[in-house]
Amino acid sequence: MSYYCFLCHPKYHPKSSPEPKLRVCKCVVKVKMKMWLIALLLVSVTHTHAEYSSLQAILSQKGLQKVTHWLTDWVQDNLSNITPPDIKGKAFLFGYTLHSMSIQRCDLPEPIISFLEGTGVSLQVTGLSAVITGKWNSRFGFTTDSGEFELVMFNVGFKSLLKLGSDRERLSISTVICSSDVESVQMNFSGGKSFLYKLFVKLFNRGVKQMVQGQICTDIKAGVNGLESHLAAMPVAMMVDPNVYMNISLTDSPLVKNSGLGLNVKGEFYSFKCPTEPPFHPSHFEMPWQKDYMVSVGASEFCVNSAAFAYHHAGVLNIHITDDMIPKACPIHLNTSQFKNLIPELPKKYPDMLMELQLYTTDTPLFSVKKSVILANVSTSVKAFAIKTNYVAIPLFRLDMETSFIFKVYIDKQLVKGMLVMKNLTVTLGASEIGKFQTEPIQHALKSVMTSFVLPKVNAQLKDGIQLPFVKYFSLKNSVLTIEDGFLALATDINGPDSGNL
């Protein structure tokens, strides 16, 4: 069981409140963490910054064709698991049912699929042929009979136009037009009094052909309606981790061009513990459409900063540092005697004692995305404690630090690589239980540690590269990352799975 703070926003504090401007979290509900809670948390936040999207995604025509190719392969490899629906009809005076069907062979040409500007997706299949076996039951008056059959269909085809739109901030899909055609059907009966039905095989062929032809669009519409129901049931938020979730609702209707499909997503992060709006607002950005890549994804500066704001308010941007965490080669270790030249009074009051540090953000880290680089400004504080032999922590002092970084990032051989440079570091004394002392020596020492130990270690890892994230059975290839003014954009192709893994 976990507690969640719902009343974190000023709108929940009446004007009569003695401090209406304070964002004081009051935990009033105790519930289990479930995915449906995410939607409730969205309601607990005041109007979200929905004027502009902070995430944009584009599926190109190239990507659509590749997805169609994967699905076609999957269908071919999983024919034995596909069960055609029963067929009921009449031929002459006989009523019949074709059931327990299975597809023995299917020559399925790859569909012709394309985006239709302003509407959605055009889908066309021609030249499909199939062999289906199953069982038949017949009824003539009070007489019944049964046996087996083989159904061969030649040159089956259909055309369908699907409309893409939005409904309640979700992607929606519907069937606009559907038409189908079956060139010919051949029925072969066996078992029972099949010799009798062979006399009326032309009637059976004609009736089955008409029913199959009509059933194709019925099944397509049912499939599209099923997909629409699935889209309508999808949550408008996605759990990122136990601390943070992201609003993934659409800001407007999808943009359909002949070259691809574009989705504008809110892409704003919230803390589970305290889902409040950040004090900054999203700005318009327009990601370029890369038709030569299957997928393009863009994240704005606001998206990155809302994530930092959410994690800061979740209280997870802190670290407890002990001496055994510091490399042996580092010139400064967490012992009061080590601080003799930096804080002379410290070893006098607490000689030769281990120390521990608590480092945490005092404000939201802010990122500025400029052409080719990312700038970061981080405000932190560090509390120092001396540790007695009975593990009692004695408060010593608090240092407030302002740090800025320049981060260059790119993709090489599907690895994220880059370089981090510290631009500035200032240290001031926030509080002290051991009396006032000068912070300039500490500031100089910290800069030396950062430039000599921390940054080289980080940059060595960045030089080796970090693997791009991927979904199971899929991987990225030919990826290109660009940093523009106000946003980052990733254009990539995708390696698909083997058809059996879809």
Side-chain angles (χ1 to χ4, degrees), residues 412-472:
D412 179 33
K413 297 179 181 178
Q414 303 313 114
L415 296 173
V416 178
K417 298 183 178 182
M419 183 175 65
L420 184 64
V421 178
M422 187 174 68
K423 185 179 179 183
N424 186 44
L425 170 64
T426 59
V427 179
T428 57
L429 181 62
S432 175
E433 283 76 17
I434 59 173
K436 291 186 178 182
F437 55 87
Q438 296 296 317
T439 59
E440 286 81 0
I442 297 177
Q443 179 174 299
H444 178 76
L446 285 176
K447 284 183 178 179
S448 177
V449 169
M450 288 290 292
T451 55
S452 301
F453 291 91
V454 178
L455 290 178
K457 187 174 182 179
V458 172
N459 285 326
Q461 185 174 2
L462 288 173
K463 184 178 180 180
D464 292 337
I466 301 171
Q467 182 66 52
L468 282 168
F470 59 91
V471 180
K472 189 176 182 180

Side-chain angles (χ1 to χ4, degrees), residues 168-180:
R168 294 171 299 186
E169 301 180 326
R170 297 174 174 87
L171 182 66
S172 65
I173 185 169
S174 59
T175 306
V176 178
I177 299 172
C178 184
S179 62
S180 60

Side-chain angles (χ1 to χ4, degrees), residues 53 197-198 290:
S53 65
Y197 306 122
K198 291 177 182 179
Q290 304 279 8

Side-chain angles (χ1 to χ4, degrees), residues 47-100:
H47 186 268
T48 56
H49 302 309
E51 294 181 3
Y52 299 117
S53 65
S54 58
L55 272 181
Q56 294 181 10
I58 298 170
L59 175 65
S60 68
Q61 177 64 33
K62 177 182 177 180
L64 179 65
Q65 290 174 334
K66 192 64 176 180
V67 171
T68 304
H69 176 75
W70 291 334
L71 291 175
T72 302
D73 286 347
W74 180 86
V75 170
Q76 289 280 19
D77 290 346
N78 289 271
L79 290 176
S80 60
N81 299 323
I82 299 174
T83 303
D86 294 351
I87 296 176
K88 295 183 179 181
K90 292 190 70 173
F92 193 54
L93 300 177
F94 295 97
Y96 63 88
T97 300
L98 307 180
H99 63 95
S100 303

Side-chain angles (χ1 to χ4, degrees), residues 69-70 73 471-475 494-502:
H69 176 75
W70 291 334
D73 286 347
V471 180
K472 189 176 182 180
Y473 303 129
F474 293 86
S475 60
I494 300 176
N495 276 325
D498 296 332
S499 54
N501 289 328
L502 267 176

Side-chain angles (χ1 to χ4, degrees), residues 177-210:
I177 299 172
C178 184
S179 62
S180 60
D181 182 65
V182 179
E183 182 178 295
S184 63
V185 167
Q186 181 178 322
M187 295 286 299
N188 297 307
F189 294 96
S190 60
K193 299 181 178 61
S194 57
F195 67 91
L196 180 62
Y197 306 122
K198 291 177 182 179
L199 299 175
F200 308 100
V201 70
K202 290 185 178 181
L203 292 175
F204 279 110
N205 290 345
R206 189 183 308 126
V208 171
K209 174 183 174 180
Q210 292 174 349

Side-chain angles (χ1 to χ4, degrees), residues 273-318:
K273 185 183 294 185
C274 197
T276 59
E277 291 285 355
F280 40 83
H281 305 279
S283 300
H284 173 74
F285 81 100
E286 196 165 320
M287 191 174 63
W289 286 53
Q290 304 279 8
K291 65 178 182 179
D292 293 330
Y293 293 90
M294 293 170 58
V295 177
S296 300
V297 179
S300 74
E301 187 176 276
F302 174 83
C303 178
V304 178
N305 284 324
S306 76
F309 180 83
Y311 278 106
H312 173 69
H313 275 255
V316 297
L317 297 183
N318 62 78

